[in-house]
Amino acid sequence: MDLKENQNIFRLFIEGFRLANRAMLSVLISLVLLSAVLLGIVFAIDHFGLPKFLISILKFIFNAYTLVLIWRLLAAKADNFGESISNAMRASVKPAAYMAIFSLLLAGGWLLCLLAIVFLPWALRIIVLLGAAFVGLRLAFASTAIALKDQGPVSALIYSWELTGRNFWKTLGMCLLSFGFCSLLSGALVYAAFLIIPLYFADSFSLVNLTLQWKVALVCFGLFLSFIWVAGFSSFLLFFLNCDYGANRGSFTSKAEAQLVQQPTQVFGEDNNVLPPGVGKTVSQEDVKNLGVVKSSVRTGGDSHELKEHLQQVYTPRPDDTVQYADEDRMPTILFDDDMAKQMEENRKMWEAKKKETAQKKEDDNGQSIKMSK
């Protein structure tokens, strides 16, 4: 799927599950590593008796960093440039700081909305809720822009507002598809498990003493729920990339194609070059991706400094490298080596000797014809 082309949100939603399938292992490994680091730091805080509010600050930073890291890992798989987990972790440090600031701004906005809802009449509460939903939808791309485009919080807010303004209804539909569907599906699965397990497996299920089979089943169930949410994030990420490319689609060129000439295959040149097979068929990038350039030429402007130096070297030879003749036409000379100069001197001597021999023969013929005429 080419994200540079305008894509349907339903296709992007389906492709999100494929992307989640490819990126799930990288996301899980990253989450396990980050969780281990977080637990180690929390244990160190408890062990040394440090203030407990440091744990809350640490979790806040951890959540911002985790969100940035997940966006970057999914984007690496979506664009197929294969960023490693270690590179993604290093590259997520600076955007995570921006994400933390953005989260504080967003939390402040929601706090104002809650205060307005508490103290305003019911009619105004509905208006405030609708306005908050509208603003939240317009800022849906802010976190993704911070993680992938290395933008600051304010720049990301402005960019998200402009980008969603051009794709408002598609953004609403993708949010309902990705996060709404994933919320309903995961909620339905949890509710079904909450009802089915006590009804049909009450004898073997016990939270106090779980058997190995139930532990494996719960791990698989948790992985499946995680996959659903990763698929939702993947679908939304693909939609963001498609809209981001769309905002700059005029700067992208179309796929390179070449129409071959309608003529039989010919062999020409000293290198026995031949026309490619399928003469007259449109050749795309996939058809010529394995071809290599064996010869090339560069067209240089007349004012190029390199071109002037080259012409001066070729057409202004050194006097001791060339042989000039007064009776020859003046033509641009090239650089000769010593062997070529010697060969030209021998040819000149041979030509002069031949001219003398021809002139002597003509004199002898003229003298004989005069004697015979007498």
Side-chain angles (χ1 to χ4, degrees):
M1 184 181 64
D2 189 3
L3 291 174
K4 294 182 177 65
E5 301 293 333
N6 189 19
Q7 300 291 344
N8 187 278
I9 60 173
F10 294 101
R11 184 182 179 187
L12 293 172
F13 178 68
I14 299 300
E15 290 293 332
F17 284 85
R18 298 178 181 177
L19 176 59
N21 184 45
R22 300 200 310 269
M24 190 66 187
L25 181 60
S26 300
V27 172
L28 289 177
I29 293 176
S30 303
L31 292 178
V32 170
L33 292 176
L34 291 178
S35 300
V37 173
L38 178 64
L39 291 176
I41 297 176
V42 170
F43 176 78
I45 292 175
D46 291 335
H47 179 73
F48 293 103
L50 297 177
K52 298 297 182 180
F53 71 90
L54 293 178
I55 297 177
S56 301
I57 296 176
L58 181 64
K59 291 180 179 179
F60 175 74
I61 298 175
F62 172 80
N63 292 332
Y65 183 81
T66 302
L67 182 60
V68 173
L69 182 61
I70 291 175
W71 283 133
R72 293 192 66 88
L73 291 174
L74 293 177
K77 295 295 183 180
D79 282 345
N80 295 318
F81 59 84
E83 186 178 26
S84 63
I85 297 176
S86 59
N87 291 335
M89 286 183 171
R90 287 194 297 267
S92 300
V93 175
K94 181 180 177 181
Y98 291 151
M99 186 68 71
I101 298 174
F102 168 74
S103 300
L104 291 175
L105 295 175
L106 193 64
W110 283 113
L111 180 61
L112 292 176
C113 290
L114 291 176
L115 292 176
I117 292 173
V118 171
F119 295 103
L120 290 177
W122 284 103
L124 294 179
R125 291 181 185 179
I126 297 176
I127 296 175
V128 171
L129 287 175
L130 293 177
F134 175 78
V135 173
L137 185 65
R138 294 294 299 271
L139 302 181
F141 289 152
S143 62
T144 319
I146 291 174
L148 303 182
K149 298 180 69 67
D150 198 19
Q151 293 183 347
V154 178
S155 301
L157 290 173
I158 297 174
Y159 183 75
S160 177
W161 189 273
E162 295 176 351
L163 193 59
T164 53
R166 293 190 292 266
N167 306 274
F168 179 79
W169 295 111
K170 292 180 67 175
T171 305
L172 177 60
M174 179 51 71
C175 288
L176 293 176
L177 273 178
S178 56
F179 301 122
F181 176 80
C182 293
S183 299
L184 291 176
L185 181 58
S186 58
L189 291 175
V190 172
Y191 183 73
F194 181 78
L195 291 179
I196 292 174
I197 291 176
L199 288 176
Y200 297 97
F201 304 98
D203 297 334
S204 60
F205 181 79
S206 175
L207 288 175
V208 179
N209 188 16
L210 287 175
T211 61
L212 179 62
Q213 292 81 359
W214 277 111
K215 290 180 180 179
V216 173
L218 290 178
V219 169
C220 293
F221 184 73
L223 290 176
F224 184 70
L225 292 179
S226 301
F227 174 78
I228 292 174
W229 279 104
V230 172
F233 276 88
S234 301
S235 301
F236 190 79
L237 172 71
L238 292 177
F239 177 66
F240 167 76
L241 293 176
N242 190 241
C243 294
D244 181 60
Y245 282 128
N248 306 285
R249 192 161 287 133
S251 63
F252 298 106
T253 57
S254 58
K255 290 185 177 180
E257 293 185 351
Q259 187 72 29
L260 301 180
V261 182
Q262 295 283 355
Q263 60 182 6
T265 301
Q266 298 179 0
V267 179
F268 56 93
E270 297 179 354
D271 298 331
N272 292 328
N273 299 316
V274 297
L275 292 177
V279 178
K281 176 185 176 182
T282 300
V283 181
S284 61
Q285 287 182 338
E286 289 76 11
D287 299 326
V288 297
K289 63 181 180 180
N290 294 324
L291 296 181
V293 178
V294 295
K295 290 185 178 181
S296 63
S297 61
V298 179
R299 183 176 182 180
T300 312
D303 297 332
S304 174
H305 179 67
E306 291 80 3
L307 178 61
K308 290 181 179 179
E309 289 184 353
H310 175 72
L311 294 178
Q312 184 178 4
Q313 180 185 5
V314 173
Y315 292 104
T316 310
R318 293 181 300 174
D320 54 349
D321 290 337
T322 59
V323 178
Q324 300 288 343
Y325 305 105
D327 55 345
E328 290 182 351
D329 295 334
R330 292 288 181 177
M331 298 180 64
T333 59
I334 62 174
L335 295 177
F336 296 104
D337 55 12
D338 295 338
D339 294 337
M340 186 178 294
K342 291 179 181 179
Q343 183 64 36
M344 293 181 65
E345 182 65 19
E346 292 177 358
N347 293 338
R348 186 183 66 81
K349 292 179 180 180
M350 182 179 65
W351 179 252
E352 290 181 353
K354 187 175 181 180
K355 286 173 63 177
K356 291 180 180 180
E357 182 181 355
T358 304
Q360 185 65 34
K361 185 176 180 181
K362 287 183 178 181
E363 291 179 0
D364 295 341
D365 292 341
N366 290 336
Q368 184 178 4
S369 34
I370 292 173
K371 292 180 180 179
M372 292 179 63
S373 62
K374 291 181 179 180

